[in-house]
Amino acid sequence: QGEDSLKLSQEYQEYQQKLEQQKQDYRKEHPDEAKDPNYDEWFETDSQRELRQIFQGQSHMFEVLRELGRKLDEVIGRQERTLSLMSTQQQ
């Protein structure tokens, strides 16, 4: 497992270096846009990406829980109808 984490860490470092190189190349090719004071805000930082992923995950879980609640209400409704029909038939 240590090898895997080392390998992933190395791949991540290479990815970060490629990203920085691409940013620099873009600045050279588009000097007008690179002068924008908010230029670096065009790119997500690691923490911003992580936070966005957390919020997206929470939002997805909330939607799933709401759907489960709705389906559970349907099942309970069916059970109640079935029980009331059974009790009226027994009388």
Side-chain angles (χ1 to χ4, degrees), residues 1-9:
Q1 194 174 19
E3 269 184 43
D4 289 340
S5 69
L6 184 62
K7 184 179 176 183
L8 285 174
S9 179

Side-chain angles (χ1 to χ4, degrees), residues 46-66:
D46 294 339
S47 57
Q48 288 171 327
R49 182 179 312 110
E50 190 174 330
L51 199 56
R52 180 180 48 79
Q53 290 173 338
I54 289 169
F55 285 138
Q56 285 176 339
Q58 285 178 334
S59 177
H60 181 69
M61 287 182 353
F62 179 73
E63 292 296 323
V64 168
L65 285 173
R66 185 169 31 193

